Coordinates of all heavy atoms in Angstrom, one line a residue:
F120 N 39.2 21.7 21.5 CA 38.4 20.5 21.9 C 39.1 19.3 21.4 O 39.3 18.3 22.2 CB 37.0 20.6 21.3 CG 36.2 19.4 21.6 CD1 35.6 19.2 22.8 CD2 35.9 18.5 20.6 CE1 34.9 18.1 23.1 CE2 35.1 17.4 20.8 CZ 34.6 17.2 22.1
V123 N 42.2 18.7 23.7 CA 41.8 18.1 25.0 C 41.5 16.6 24.8 O 41.9 15.8 25.7 CB 40.6 18.9 25.6 CG1 40.2 18.3 26.9 CG2 41.1 20.3 25.8
M124 N 40.7 16.3 23.8 CA 40.2 14.9 23.7 C 41.3 14.0 23.3 O 41.2 12.8 23.6 CB 39.1 14.8 22.7 CG 37.8 15.6 23.0 SD 37.2 15.3 24.7 CE 36.7 13.5 24.5
K179 N 38.2 19.4 32.2 CA 36.9 19.1 31.7 C 35.8 19.6 32.6 O 34.6 19.8 32.2 CB 36.7 17.6 31.5 CG 37.5 17.0 30.3 CD 37.3 15.5 30.2 CE 38.1 15.0 29.0 NZ 37.9 13.5 28.9
Q180 N 36.1 19.9 33.9 CA 35.2 20.4 34.8 C 35.2 22.0 34.9 O 34.3 22.6 35.5 CB 35.4 19.9 36.2 CG 35.4 18.4 36.3 CD 34.1 17.8 35.9 OE1 33.0 18.3 36.3 NE2 34.1 16.6 35.3
K182 N 35.0 25.9 34.0 CA 34.0 26.7 33.3 C 34.6 28.1 32.9 O 34.5 28.4 31.7 CB 32.8 27.0 34.2 CG 32.0 25.8 34.5 CD 30.8 26.2 35.4 CE 29.9 24.9 35.6 NZ 30.5 23.8 36.3
A203 N 34.1 26.0 29.3 CA 32.9 25.1 29.0 C 32.0 25.8 28.0 O 31.8 27.1 28.1 CB 32.1 24.8 30.3
G204 N 31.6 25.1 27.0 CA 30.8 25.7 25.9 C 29.4 26.0 26.4 O 29.0 25.7 27.6
P205 N 28.5 26.6 25.6 CA 27.1 26.8 26.0 C 26.4 25.5 26.2 O 26.8 24.4 25.9 CB 26.6 27.6 24.7 CG 27.4 27.1 23.6 CD 28.8 26.9 24.2
A206 N 25.2 25.7 26.8 CA 24.4 24.5 27.1 C 24.1 23.7 25.8 O 23.7 24.3 24.8 CB 23.1 24.9 27.8
V207 N 24.3 22.4 25.8 CA 24.1 21.6 24.6 C 22.7 21.2 24.5 O 22.1 20.6 25.4 CB 25.0 20.4 24.7 CG1 24.8 19.5 23.5 CG2 26.5 20.9 24.7
S239 N 28.9 24.4 20.2 CA 29.9 23.6 21.1 C 30.6 22.6 20.2 O 30.0 21.9 19.4 CB 29.1 22.9 22.2 OG 30.0 22.4 23.1
D240 N 31.9 22.6 20.4 CA 32.8 21.7 19.6 C 32.4 20.3 19.8 O 31.9 19.9 20.8 CB 34.2 22.0 19.9 CG 34.7 23.4 19.5 OD1 34.0 24.0 18.6 OD2 35.7 23.9 20.1
L241 N 32.7 19.5 18.8 CA 32.3 18.1 18.8 C 33.2 17.3 18.0 O 34.0 17.8 17.2 CB 30.8 18.0 18.3 CG 30.6 18.5 16.9 CD1 30.7 17.4 15.9 CD2 29.2 19.1 16.8
Y242 N 33.0 15.9 18.1 CA 33.6 15.0 17.1 C 32.6 13.9 16.8 O 31.7 13.6 17.6 CB 34.9 14.4 17.7 CG 34.8 13.5 18.8 CD1 34.6 12.1 18.7 CD2 35.0 14.0 20.1 CE1 34.5 11.3 19.8 CE2 34.9 13.1 21.2 CZ 34.7 11.8 21.0 OH 34.6 10.9 22.1
K289 N 27.9 8.5 15.8 CA 27.7 9.0 17.2 C 28.4 10.4 17.3 O 29.5 10.6 16.8 CB 28.4 8.0 18.2 CG 28.1 8.3 19.6 CD 28.7 7.3 20.5 CE 28.4 7.5 22.0 NZ 29.0 6.4 22.9
V290 N 27.7 11.3 17.9 CA 28.1 12.7 18.0 C 28.5 12.9 19.5 O 27.6 12.7 20.4 CB 27.1 13.7 17.5 CG1 27.5 15.1 17.8 CG2 26.7 13.5 16.1
N291 N 29.7 13.3 19.8 CA 30.2 13.6 21.1 C 30.4 15.1 21.2 O 31.3 15.6 20.5 CB 31.4 12.9 21.5 CG 31.3 11.4 21.5 OD1 31.0 10.8 22.6 ND2 31.4 10.7 20.4
Q292 N 29.5 15.8 21.8 CA 29.6 17.3 21.9 C 29.9 17.7 23.3 O 29.3 17.3 24.3 CB 28.2 17.9 21.4 CG 28.3 19.4 21.1 CD 27.1 19.9 20.4 OE1 26.0 19.3 20.5 NE2 27.2 21.0 19.7
G293 N 30.9 18.6 23.4 CA 31.4 19.0 24.7 C 32.1 17.8 25.3 O 32.6 16.9 24.6
F294 N 32.2 17.8 26.6 CA 33.0 16.7 27.3 C 32.1 15.7 27.9 O 32.5 14.7 28.4 CB 33.9 17.4 28.4 CG 34.9 18.3 27.9 CD1 34.9 19.6 28.4 CD2 35.8 18.0 27.0 CE1 35.8 20.6 27.9 CE2 36.7 18.9 26.5 CZ 36.7 20.2 26.9
S295 N 30.7 15.9 27.9 CA 29.8 14.9 28.5 C 28.6 14.5 27.7 O 27.9 13.6 28.1 CB 29.4 15.5 29.9 OG 28.7 16.8 29.7
S296 N 28.3 15.2 26.6 CA 27.1 14.9 25.9 C 27.4 14.1 24.6 O 28.4 14.4 23.9 CB 26.4 16.2 25.5 OG 26.1 17.0 26.6
N297 N 26.6 13.0 24.4 CA 26.8 12.3 23.2 C 25.4 11.9 22.7 O 24.5 11.6 23.4 CB 27.7 11.1 23.4 CG 27.2 10.1 24.4 OD1 26.2 9.4 24.2 ND2 27.8 10.2 25.6
F298 N 25.3 11.8 21.3 CA 24.0 11.5 20.7 C 24.3 10.5 19.6 O 25.3 10.7 18.8 CB 23.4 12.8 20.1 CG 23.3 13.9 21.1 CD1 24.3 14.9 21.2 CD2 22.3 14.0 22.0 CE1 24.3 15.9 22.1 CE2 22.2 15.0 23.0 CZ 23.2 16.0 23.0

Side-chain angles (χ1 to χ4, degrees):
F120 177 72
V123 175
M124 298 307 297
K179 290 181 179 180
Q180 304 299 322
K182 294 180 175 59
V207 175
S239 186
D240 293 337
L241 58 94
Y242 68 86
K289 190 174 183 180
V290 176
N291 295 267
Q292 192 168 23
F294 300 121
S295 59
S296 301
N297 58 77
F298 309 94

